[in-house]
């Protein structure tokens, strides 16, 4: 009898287990879990990235400075190679080793763009989506190469698809060659009779009114201009290394059709909550460390630049901006911190500097209500940038028109940049009279003898919110003619940083590939150069 009971119990257990197993998959499936996604949404996510950081590129090109030479604040203001100041663009692009997730929960753009292309596949009928993803991926990697040199490229973002958890680094010159191919092929593949990519944040259904399109033909026209403007940018990078190659690529881009007005600008208008604005919030929360640099302030003052009121400001207490958001924006009252000078020197009794103001220093900071507000437009590629590059190309004879046409491009660029400030919350438009007066100012008006300096000084100003591009163009041209920081720091000699260093995590997590890349570029140093940055 006991044996029979035991058998019945055992059979009952098996029956229960079978019943549980029968619906196990159904019961344990998360009804809200995402198991598929439109590649267009992955692309849109990759459009909300990080252009540059106040604490790196902007400091190197002397737009900005942190005069507190202690701990993590030392950074690029004193050429101390601090990991946290160099890794921002890397981290916001790869999230280290190319496959992690950003701290805010979003996948990095390298992963998003790679996965989007994988989902589409090589034979997709969605050619327009595939093409604009390829164009934007080229832009992303152009910035990574410009900042770091050799970077993970061919294996980047392929942890899930190909098991490449520790991607190799590709040669920076070879990456640029492939970016040229990607741009050319993608621009050519765009089809005005194809699909309309409404998810696009630059020109799609959710774009700003000034750039929005509603049909495939108009949308494709915008992306062709954007693609060719990026091709123009890429071509100009070769101006020192290989002027002939630069001229050929620039001519190709120009013939293909570049941006022609602010309606072509590629930008995202943030709502103040996006992670890319964390640096701007830091300007309020840690304002006692952040100041405008003397060369940049002096440039604005020496030309009576009407953009200055949106950029720089004096606060009653520079050490507590968050509690005092009504600054003095009168240009005559603005002063920049001298390069290489410490806060201790500024505050020392009898010093030749401006001393204290409230709990901070008696110098200007960036206008956190406008240019450095949490919710601002992130301008990736603009007509102003493009027109200034065309001005230089015309001056160099790489496109037709010579100085006469270069002047037109130059004036158009400045006008466009000033008009774009209307997109910032809290601004009043710069008047036509102000623009005309600025264009004829003795220190601004186009003159053939000083053309390259004038053009690239404006490029410096135009890129006040695009540190990656400001840094790259300064190394390419050496203009404006800034005086090197007198503190050599990690450079080993007085000069300018030529690149950002790789994240420390790469050295420990992707060691073999990191070591190979560091050796290939002459060492993971601030003084090493990317391939196009010839001495």
């Amino acid at each position: 009898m006991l044996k029979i009971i035991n058998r019945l119990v055992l059979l009952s257990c098996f029956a229960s287990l079978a019943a549980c197993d029968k619906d196990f998959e159904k019961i344990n499936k998360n009804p809200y879990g995402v198991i598929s996604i439109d590649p267009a949404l992955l692309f849109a996510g990759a459009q909300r990235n990080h252009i540059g950081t106040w604490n790196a590129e902007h400091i190197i090109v002397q737009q900005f400075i942190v005069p507190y030479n202690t701990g993590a604040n030392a950074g690029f203001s004193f050429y101390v190679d601090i990991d946290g100041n160099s890794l921002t663009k890397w981290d916001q692009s790869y999230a280290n080793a190319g496959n992690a997730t950003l701290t805010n929960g979003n996948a990095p753009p390298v992963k998003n763009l790679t996965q989007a292309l994988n989902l589409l596949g090589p034979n997709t009928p969605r050619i327009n989506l595939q093409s604009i993803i390829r164009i934007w991926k080229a832009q992303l990697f152009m910035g990574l190469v410009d900042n770091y040199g050799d970077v993970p490229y061919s294996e980047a973002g392929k942890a899930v698809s190909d098991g490449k958890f520790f991607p190799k680094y590709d040669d920076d010159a070879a990456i640029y060659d492939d970016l040229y191919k990607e741009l050319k092929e993608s621009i050519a593949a765009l089809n005005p009779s194809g699909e309309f990519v409404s998810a696009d944040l630059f020109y799609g259904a959710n774009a700003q009114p000034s750039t929005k399109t509603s049909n495939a033909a108009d949308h494709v026209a915008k992306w062709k201009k954007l693609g060719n403007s990026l091709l123009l940018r890429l071509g100009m990078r070769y101006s020192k290394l290989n002027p002939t190659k630069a001229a050929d690529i620039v001519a190709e881009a120009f013939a293909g059709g570049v941006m022609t007005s602010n309606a072509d600008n590629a930008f995202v208008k943030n709502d103040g909550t996006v992670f890319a604005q964390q640096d701007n919030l830091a300007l309020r929360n840690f304002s006692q460390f952040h100041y405008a640099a003397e060369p940049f302030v002096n440039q604005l003052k020496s030309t009576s630049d009407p953009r200055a009121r949106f950029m720089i400001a004096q606060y009653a207490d520079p050490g507590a901006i968050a509690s005092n958001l009504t600054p003095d924006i009168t240009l005559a009252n603005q002063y920049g911190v001298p390069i290489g000078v410490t806060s201790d020197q500024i505050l020392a009794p009898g010093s030749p500097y401006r001393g204290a103001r409230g709990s901070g220093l008696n110098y200007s900071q960036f206008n956190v209500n406008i240019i450095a507000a949490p919710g601002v437009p992130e301008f990736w590629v603009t007509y102003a940038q493009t027109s200034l590059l065309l001005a230089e190309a015309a001056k160099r004879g790489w496109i037709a028109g010579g100085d006469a046409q270069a002047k037109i491009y130059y004036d158009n660029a400045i006008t466009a940049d000033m008009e774009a400030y209307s997109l910032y919350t809290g601004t009043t438009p710069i008047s036509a009279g102000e623009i005309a007066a600025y264009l004829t100012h003795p220190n601004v008006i186009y003159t053939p003898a000083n053309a390259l300096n004038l053009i690239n000084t404006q490029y410096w100003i135009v890129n006040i919110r695009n540190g990656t591009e400001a840094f790259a163009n300064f190394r390419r041209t050496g203009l404006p003619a800034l005086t090197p920081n007198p503190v050599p720091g990690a450079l080993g000699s007085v000069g300018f940083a030529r690149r950002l260093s790789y994240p420390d995590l790469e050295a420990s997590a992707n060691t073999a590939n990191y070591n190979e890349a560091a050796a290939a570029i002459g060492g993971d140093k601030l003084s090493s150069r990317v391939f196009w940055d010839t001495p």
Side-chain angles (χ1 to χ4, degrees):
M1 185 68 177
L2 183 60
K3 290 182 179 179
I4 295 174
I5 294 173
N6 287 340
R7 288 175 182 173
L8 289 174
V9 171
L10 186 61
L11 288 173
S12 176
C13 289
F14 282 140
S16 298
L17 289 170
C20 289
D21 185 63
K22 178 181 178 181
D23 294 319
F24 181 82
E25 183 178 353
K26 180 178 179 181
I27 293 171
N28 285 275
K29 182 180 290 184
N30 180 359
Y32 305 105
V34 177
I35 57 174
S36 65
I37 191 169
D38 185 347
L41 297 181
L42 293 176
F43 163 66
Q47 290 179 285
R48 297 167 66 130
N49 191 23
H50 209 289
I51 294 180
T53 172
W54 295 114
N55 285 333
E57 303 100 318
H58 291 288
I59 288 177
I60 297 170
V61 300
Q62 299 182 5
Q63 295 168 326
F64 195 74
I65 195 164
V66 178
Y68 294 85
N69 189 16
T70 56
N73 288 320
F76 284 99
S77 296
F78 302 96
Y79 286 135
V80 178
D81 189 0
I82 293 176
D83 186 52
N85 290 336
S86 282
L87 65 72
T88 300
K89 190 173 186 68
W90 184 287
D91 218 23
Q92 297 289 5
S93 300
Y94 294 117
N96 287 310
N99 67 320
T101 300
L102 296 176
T103 54
N104 68 342
N106 295 322
V110 167
K111 183 177 180 181
N112 271 354
L113 295 173
T114 302
Q115 181 64 7
L117 291 174
N118 288 340
L119 290 173
L120 288 171
N123 301 313
T124 180
R126 302 175 72 180
I127 298 300
N128 286 343
L129 175 59
Q130 183 186 58
S131 297
I132 67 176
I133 290 173
R134 291 173 69 189
I135 289 170
W136 201 239
K137 188 178 178 185
Q139 181 280 146
L140 174 64
F141 277 101
M142 193 186 309
L144 284 166
V145 168
D146 292 343
N147 268 16
Y148 299 100
D150 291 4
V151 295
Y153 177 63
S154 59
E155 295 182 356
K158 295 184 178 180
V160 174
S161 61
D162 295 19
K164 301 292 185 182
F165 293 96
F166 304 104
K168 70 176 183 179
Y169 291 56
D170 295 87
D171 176 73
D172 51 1
I175 295 173
Y176 250 63
D177 286 340
D178 196 63
L179 298 183
Y180 169 78
K181 176 189 74 68
E182 286 292 292
L183 287 171
K184 290 287 292 181
E185 290 179 358
S186 302
I187 294 166
L190 286 167
N191 181 6
S193 300
E195 84 279 17
F196 170 52
V197 184
S198 62
D200 172 25
L201 299 181
F202 297 154
Y203 311 122
N206 294 317
Q208 292 295 301
S210 61
T211 58
K212 182 185 295 188
T213 61
S214 58
N215 59 76
D218 291 342
H219 188 250
V220 162
K222 296 272 193 184
W223 270 94
K224 281 184 175 289
K225 290 181 178 182
L226 173 53
N228 280 312
S229 297
L230 285 169
L231 190 64
L232 169 66
R233 179 184 290 184
L234 181 144
M236 294 298 288
R237 293 286 197 268
Y238 290 95
S239 62
K240 282 197 301 182
L241 176 70
N242 188 338
T244 300
K245 184 173 185 175
D248 289 344
I249 296 175
V250 166
E252 281 185 283
F254 182 69
V258 297
M259 292 179 170
T260 55
S261 75
N262 277 346
D264 299 324
N265 287 347
F267 75 98
V268 175
K269 182 70 164 63
N270 292 303
D271 62 3
T273 62
V274 178
F275 72 90
Q277 300 308 304
Q278 287 175 348
D279 277 344
N280 298 344
L281 291 172
L283 290 177
R284 290 187 177 186
N285 297 333
F286 305 103
S287 55
Q288 67 268 31
F289 303 130
H290 301 84
Y291 290 84
E294 185 176 60
F296 191 72
V297 174
N298 286 353
Q299 169 64 33
L300 299 178
K301 292 178 73 173
S302 68
T303 57
S304 300
D305 197 320
R307 292 168 290 191
R309 62 181 179 262
F310 306 138
M311 296 180 181
I312 56 176
Q314 271 269 22
Y315 294 86
D317 187 351
I321 288 180
S323 61
N324 177 22
L325 294 176
T326 308
D328 176 3
I329 59 173
T330 303
L331 186 53
N333 297 338
Q334 308 306 318
Y335 296 91
V337 173
I339 301 299
V341 174
T342 70
S343 57
D344 288 343
Q345 291 173 300
I346 291 170
L347 296 172
S351 81
Y353 306 108
R354 293 182 56 82
R357 184 182 178 96
S359 60
L361 306 176
N362 191 14
Y363 287 97
S364 301
Q365 294 162 296
F366 279 96
N367 190 333
V368 297
N369 297 317
I370 299 177
I371 193 75
V376 296
E378 294 283 8
F379 290 101
W380 291 94
V381 185
T382 69
Y383 170 54
Q385 294 170 337
T386 301
S387 199
L388 286 169
L389 293 178
L390 291 178
E392 181 177 340
K395 173 64 182 177
R396 292 180 180 274
W398 295 348
I399 58 175
D403 279 308
Q405 188 61 52
K407 182 183 186 305
I408 294 173
Y409 290 135
Y410 174 78
D411 289 353
N412 288 347
I414 294 171
T415 301
D417 189 56
M418 290 189 176
E419 291 176 345
Y421 276 91
S422 63
L423 293 168
Y424 286 85
T425 302
T427 62
T428 54
I430 297 174
S431 70
E434 288 179 293
I435 295 174
Y438 183 78
L439 291 174
T440 56
H441 191 284
N443 294 336
V444 176
I445 191 169
Y446 184 92
T447 57
N450 195 35
L452 292 181
N453 180 57
L454 289 167
I455 291 166
N456 287 290
T457 296
Q458 288 299 321
Y459 206 82
W460 182 51
I461 299 170
V462 163
N463 284 291
I464 184 57
R465 281 203 53 84
N466 189 331
T468 300
E469 189 62 16
F471 182 37
N473 198 69
F474 173 69
R475 285 172 291 160
R476 179 183 72 84
T477 64
L479 299 168
L482 303 172
T483 300
N485 191 324
V487 181
L491 296 180
S493 61
V494 175
F496 292 96
R498 310 309 299 188
R499 62 181 287 275
L500 306 186
S501 58
Y502 297 130
D504 290 349
L505 186 56
E506 279 291 287
S508 59
N510 194 13
T511 307
N513 291 318
Y514 164 84
N515 288 337
E516 184 178 349
I521 63 173
D524 184 15
K525 301 179 291 187
L526 301 181
S527 57
S528 296
R529 293 173 180 257
V530 301
F531 81 98
W532 50 256
D533 181 20
T534 59

